[in-house]
Amino acid sequence: RAKAEGGGVHCAYEPQLHAEAEERRLLELALREALEKDELSVLYQPVVDADEGTIVGFEALVRWAHPQMGAVSPAKFIPVAEEARLIAPIGEWVLRTACHEAATWPDDVRVAVNVSAEQLAHPSFVTAVVSALAQSGLPAQRLELEVTESVFMRDDTGALAVLDQLQALGVHLSLDDFGTGYSSLGYLSRTRFDTIKIDRSFVIGASKNVQESKAIIRAVVTLAESLGMATTAEGVETQAELELVRTLGCHKVQGYYFGRPMAAADAAALFSAPLRVAG
Ligand code: C2E
Ligand code: MG
Ligand code: MG
Ligand code: MG
């Protein structure tokens, strides 16, 4: 409407814009104190070998519990942290916490940590990874870093150089939420990702028998295999979805069907009673 009238933003939108800006400002203020007030935590979600049914890793997922606001979703506060230049300290804390925890797991189990574009572009990111590995004693091969296609939108030469440095350390690299961004396939030929994570939206589509979703999963698996990369299907919630993505050739699976993101102690307990895929 505002556009149609040709006069910039219509007044009627102002109160809402104002409320959103105000909410963001409050979130940012609260987030500034979250680390020192010990309000952040990390949960771990199992990643399972699709054929063996064994746990091959866990994805570390940050959580924020604010005393008044309650649980704030990372989908909501990570963008605020990026804009407020808080992502470096928060991301570094998640990385150190996850490496420290993973060092106590069996030595064939990896921990995957999400890295946002803003974080990857931070000049001290590689140093932070080296230091987290050294301090925890976790071998680089057992750390996986998940980035999304958005890292290439910002500054692709910088991102490619940092990914090269990380790979030289021996760290595994995953391309998260594949197929939901705007990147060109060219990036797949320039960075040898170890794993492509197929976004949950395709898994849901395929389970609803949307032919296009199945075709996309099949094509991504073929593409990944020909590039020497593995695939993980994200957001598998049912046995039927598991069977479907397994039939389509996905190598690893992750989702509520195998386990919700859980506290470190519960993750560790799974090693004494290993998780098995039914059937
Ligand atoms: P993501 O990396 O794609 O993580 C997967 C998200 O899907 C997680 O949401 C997870 O809890 C959820 N999920 C897993 N299995 C299922 C399922 O079967 N069904 C459904 N409906 N959802 C499932 P979460 O933890 O809310 O995280 C959302 C996003 O926030 C993540 O997406 C990631 O992009 C970002 N994020 C989370 N932790 C961090 C972090 O430590 N650093 C950074 N930079 N980003 C993070
Ligand atoms: Mg992820
Ligand atoms: Mg993902
Ligand atoms: Mg996703």
Side-chain angles (χ1 to χ4, degrees):
R1 238 199 106 103
K3 244 187 195 162
E5 284 162 18
V9 177
H10 192 274
C11 304
Y13 291 112
E14 266 181 17
Q16 205 208 324
L17 277 180
H18 194 81
E20 273 169 25
E22 182 62 12
E23 196 200 357
R24 231 179 146 83
R25 201 183 63 84
L26 290 174
L27 267 185
E28 182 184 323
L29 275 177
L31 199 52
R32 283 194 189 284
E33 307 196 311
L35 259 182
E36 51 193 83
K37 288 189 173 164
D38 211 18
E39 292 166 5
L40 298 183
S41 61
V42 180
L43 296 184
Y44 300 88
Q45 185 180 36
V47 180
V48 171
D49 181 293
D51 298 314
E52 306 291 329
T54 50
I55 296 174
V56 293
F58 284 90
E59 177 172 1
L61 295 158
V62 70
R63 292 293 179 265
W64 178 22
H66 184 266
Q68 277 83 46
M69 294 183 281
V72 185
S73 153
K76 192 163 187 181
F77 75 80
I78 293 287
V80 176
E82 290 184 319
E83 230 173 72
R85 296 171 178 270
L86 291 168
I87 194 64
I90 291 175
E92 205 172 314
W93 178 83
V94 172
L95 183 68
R96 278 190 276 111
T97 304
C99 288
H100 182 79
E101 196 54 43
T104 68
W105 299 343
D107 59 17
D108 53 352
V109 179
R110 215 171 261 147
V111 71
V113 176
N114 292 285
V115 178
S116 67
E118 203 66 38
Q119 219 180 328
L120 195 79
H122 198 276
S124 67
F125 181 65
V126 177
T127 312
V129 172
V130 171
S131 133
L133 290 170
Q135 281 180 20
S136 63
L138 186 76
Q141 292 70 22
R142 288 178 54 202
L143 175 64
E144 175 175 334
L145 297 175
E146 298 190 2
V147 299
T148 64
E149 295 155 294
S150 66
V151 299
F152 301 116
M153 309 278 301
R154 220 177 165 274
D155 156 28
D156 68 338
T157 14
L160 287 165
V162 173
L163 293 174
D164 280 348
Q165 290 177 54
L166 293 168
Q167 215 146 33
L169 292 174
V171 168
H172 275 241
L173 297 181
S174 296
L175 190 53
D176 205 356
D177 302 341
F178 186 73
T180 62
Y182 299 95
S183 95
S184 87
L185 289 177
Y187 295 115
L188 284 181
S189 66
R190 291 175 64 193
T191 297
R192 217 201 63 81
F193 284 96
D194 297 278
T195 300
I196 294 178
K197 300 191 76 171
I198 300 174
D199 194 69
R200 170 174 151 72
S201 54
F202 300 112
V203 175
I204 303 176
S207 72
K208 290 185 178 152
N209 210 25
V210 177
Q211 291 307 319
E212 288 80 359
S213 294
K214 280 191 209 170
I216 287 169
I217 295 178
R218 203 178 283 118
V220 173
V221 170
T222 306
L223 176 68
E225 282 179 351
S226 60
L227 292 170
M229 302 172 188
T231 46
T232 301
E234 293 192 293
V236 172
E237 293 188 351
T238 64
Q239 164 115 38
E241 286 175 350
L242 165 64
E243 272 158 23
L244 184 68
V245 299
R246 194 155 53 180
T247 307
L248 292 171
C250 292
H251 307 100
K252 296 179 274 184
V253 281
Q254 182 180 352
Y256 295 167
Y257 180 68
F258 304 99
R260 292 200 172 235
M262 59 186 89
D266 297 322
L270 288 178
F271 297 119
S272 37
L275 190 74
R276 292 242 150 236
V277 175

